[in-house]
Amino acid sequence: MRLPDFEAWAIFACVVEHRSFSGAAEAIGLSKATVSKAITRLETALGTALFHRTSRRLSLTESGKALAERAHRILAEAQAAEEIARDAATAPAGLVRVAAPVTFGTRFVGRAVADFLTAHPGIEIDLRLSDAKVDIVAEGFDIALRIAELPDSSLRARRLAPVAGRIVAAPSYLAARGTPRHPADLGEHACLRYANLPGAWHFKKADGEEAAVRPSGPLITDNGDVMLPTLRAGLGIARLPDFIVDEDLAAGTLVEILPEWATLGIALHLLTPPGSLRPARVEALIAHFATTFKTLCTAPHNMARLAESGRLGRN
């Protein structure tokens, strides 16, 4: 029986993560020639090219894209197995790569990371903030925090907390256009929309009545903070989480609309690549995030509204 070339698979995963042969070679302490030979060896064994190579750019072929997730799983599980086999008294150490949304990252993740690094001086965190939907396998992330409704995928997902939304507008907008009394009325208003959460807005009252509306309006963006100037200028209505609008609501620059209706409880999820084994450093950070963010994202009154409507706790 011919054994798989595990070293070549692991090197392939590193090249995918670092997006270059030289970057992978530097990260794992091998020569660029050794890395190149390992990739050639693997391509020969598989009978297919894994990368398109030019003098300026390295990109995955379709075969490479299909195999990148499996390579990452092989490397991650081997690293985790070695870590489990080490002395249990040894403190977790090494690099953890994390992706998080921009606003949530700046307001909450930074503080959580600081607390974690204080307690785990041997661990290093590479935190990247983006509202784009990152490919955590292809880009080499160990953890991604995502506020969304998640489609089916091969990734492992853990629901950390519900995130309550509010329907808000500036007093000047409501004075000019009138205040919606029912979610259906939003169809006649200018609505600002979040690009990563397309489709209808769903609502439910405590008495069980449900409603949905497909919004339209002058602005679509992938960042909630970017909506605030347009909202404050009186140009529309938006559905945003508490942690983005709380200061404006307190200041009166925005007001809540339809408070008796609970919006669909978008949740904060923690995603990891597929595979049953994870390094201890990754497990430690997952546990820290789970504890830290358990109730952080949702204001108490909105949690109560969601509970009354029967949405709290749903995935």
Side-chain angles (χ1 to χ4, degrees):
M1 179 180 71
R2 181 179 176 278
L3 292 175
D5 190 343
F6 291 112
E7 180 186 47
W9 279 104
I11 290 173
F12 171 51
C14 290
V15 174
V16 172
E17 177 179 346
H18 294 280
R19 303 182 187 182
S20 73
F21 283 18
S22 57
E26 182 178 354
I28 58 182
L30 297 175
S31 69
K32 183 178 177 181
T34 299
V35 169
S36 180
K37 288 178 182 178
I39 298 301
T40 300
R41 193 168 71 239
L42 184 59
E43 289 178 326
T44 300
L46 295 173
T48 186
L50 298 173
F51 294 101
H52 296 296
R53 301 171 177 85
T54 68
S55 59
R56 294 185 177 182
R57 190 165 179 249
L58 183 73
S59 60
L60 287 166
T61 63
E62 289 303 313
S63 295
K65 291 176 183 177
L67 293 170
E69 183 176 303
R70 293 178 181 272
H72 186 278
R73 188 183 310 173
I74 290 170
L75 176 59
E77 296 211 3
Q79 289 174 327
E82 287 185 357
E83 208 163 305
I84 291 170
R86 294 186 192 124
D87 185 355
T90 302
L95 176 68
V96 183
R97 300 194 68 232
V98 180
V102 175
T103 302
F104 186 78
T106 55
R107 298 195 185 191
F108 302 122
V109 181
R111 179 69 261 173
V113 164
D115 292 341
F116 180 81
L117 292 176
T118 300
H120 298 84
I123 295 178
E124 178 185 354
I125 294 178
D126 179 354
L127 174 62
R128 304 300 175 97
L129 302 183
S130 172
D131 288 323
K133 185 179 178 181
V134 299
D135 185 332
I136 67 174
V137 173
E139 297 183 40
F141 286 103
D142 299 294
I143 295 171
L145 295 170
R146 193 168 292 168
I147 298 176
E149 295 174 334
L150 295 183
D152 292 337
S153 77
S154 61
L155 301 177
R156 297 176 66 185
R158 177 174 179 178
R159 188 176 186 271
L160 298 185
V163 178
R166 298 210 205 181
I167 307 300
V168 296
S172 60
Y173 176 89
L174 300 178
R177 298 285 301 270
T179 301
R181 303 299 178 187
H182 188 277
D185 297 338
L186 294 172
E188 304 300 320
H189 285 264
C191 296
L192 316 185
R193 291 160 289 160
Y194 192 65
N196 292 344
L197 296 174
W201 292 355
H202 296 270
F203 300 83
K204 189 172 184 179
K205 287 181 73 174
D207 63 7
E209 182 183 356
E210 297 188 14
V213 63
R214 188 168 295 275
S216 62
L219 177 65
I220 303 173
T221 179
D222 63 357
N223 181 269
D225 276 332
V226 173
M227 294 185 192
L228 293 176
T230 302
L231 283 170
R232 293 169 187 149
L235 299 177
I237 294 172
R239 179 186 67 168
L240 289 170
D242 283 330
F243 63 82
I244 290 181
V245 299
D246 51 5
E247 293 181 3
D248 279 273
L249 291 172
T253 50
L254 297 177
V255 295
E256 185 175 10
I257 304 166
L258 306 171
E260 69 278 13
W261 290 85
T263 60
L264 179 65
I266 301 300
L268 171 68
H269 291 86
L270 185 149
L271 280 69
T272 56
S276 57
L277 295 176
R278 289 184 293 235
R281 62 185 181 275
V282 176
E283 291 286 4
L285 185 55
I286 289 173
H288 177 69
F289 281 161
T291 300
T292 302
F293 299 140
K294 185 176 182 180
T295 58
L296 183 65
C297 311
T298 309
H301 80 279
N302 261 342
M303 289 184 73
R305 289 221 317 265
L306 289 168
E308 289 173 1
S309 69
R311 290 198 180 276
L312 189 59
R314 292 186 187 178
N315 287 324

